[in-house]
Amino acid sequence: YGCAETPAQPVEAPQVVQTEAPAATEAPVLLETVDYAASVKLDMGSETVKEMVSVKMFIDGDTTHFYVPASVSGNGVLKARYLAVNTPESTGKIEVWGKKASSFTKEKLSGASSIVVESDNGSWNLDSTGGRHLVWVWYKTADMDDYRNLNLEIMQEGLAFASSYTDFVYADACRACYGGCRPNRRKRP
């Protein structure tokens, strides 16, 4: 699984945080935690299409329905499928970690003071079913200065496999996150 095959744009260096981990020895062991979601920034002036949204309904870890203006979707609802991630199922057939992924997405977006969905290019693209728009999801809470990329956060938490699409806007960050988060990834049975 890889997030993308070719780099699309430069990415800031991920933030590295050192934390102490319990060890059997007397000296503490420092583990580096990399915040890949902080390595990308929402650029409201870029060529991609963006829209401020609010949540209508949570479906699962990588699908949410958002309220949007009729100019974006005639019925005022954008059914969003998150780019670059594939979370385990939590509706119909319940897969291991599916409910955890769904809860993570719901927790992040429920606590958001602002949510933006972004296409990967200059138009709103549909998935292979034709029923959902492929988007990057950004959110921020009242105490945050910058938006965070939820797609990368889901992957970084080990709650999704990377989708194998190419030429993503955030290809470098996806590749780094997927490669660097191997210890966090949940294994499907």
Side-chain angles (χ1 to χ4, degrees):
Y1 293 91
C3 240
E5 298 302 319
T6 58
Q9 74 180 39
V11 178
E12 291 183 22
Q15 180 181 355
V16 177
V17 179
Q18 290 190 339
T19 57
E20 286 190 26
T25 64
E26 291 182 28
V29 175
L30 292 179
L31 299 176
E32 289 188 350
T33 303
V34 179
D35 187 357
Y36 295 97
S39 71
V40 294
K41 303 293 181 204
L42 176 61
D43 179 0
M44 293 302 279
S46 72
E47 295 178 7
T48 61
V49 182
K50 296 160 208 69
E51 189 65 49
M52 299 282 285
V53 298
S54 60
V55 173
K56 177 183 193 258
M57 183 183 343
F58 295 102
I59 305 303
D60 63 16
D62 58 22
T63 305
T64 306
H65 296 178
F66 295 103
Y67 288 113
V68 294
S71 59
V72 174
S73 179
N75 66 358
V77 176
L78 183 133
K79 296 177 179 180
R81 172 67 170 81
Y82 299 10
L83 281 164
V85 295
N86 184 16
T87 63
E89 296 302 317
S90 64
T91 60
K93 178 185 176 192
I94 309 298
E95 295 178 329
V96 175
W97 298 105
K99 293 291 186 185
K100 176 79 173 164
S102 293
S103 295
F104 182 83
T105 295
K106 184 175 183 178
E107 175 188 328
K108 295 297 181 180
L109 294 181
S110 293
S113 58
S114 179
I115 303 169
V116 173
V117 292
E118 176 184 24
S119 72
D120 200 57
N121 55 33
S123 50
W124 295 110
N125 302 301
L126 293 172
D127 69 358
S128 60
T129 70
R132 299 178 297 182
H133 291 82
L134 298 168
V135 299
W136 298 101
V137 180
W138 299 85
Y139 74 94
K140 70 177 179 175
T141 60
D143 62 339
M144 294 167 56
D145 292 328
D146 294 321
Y147 283 89
R148 287 189 56 85
N149 184 282
L150 182 57
N151 309 52
L152 283 168
E153 272 193 322
I154 292 167
M155 193 185 313
Q156 161 176 307
E157 288 295 314
L159 298 171
F161 289 97
S163 295
S164 55
Y165 298 100
T166 58
D167 299 324
F168 284 157
V169 172
Y170 306 109
D172 289 342
C174 290
R175 190 179 302 100
C177 182
Y178 191 72
C181 294
R182 289 183 194 275
N184 289 341
R185 278 198 297 245
R186 315 293 189 220
K187 296 197 187 279
R188 290 189 186 197

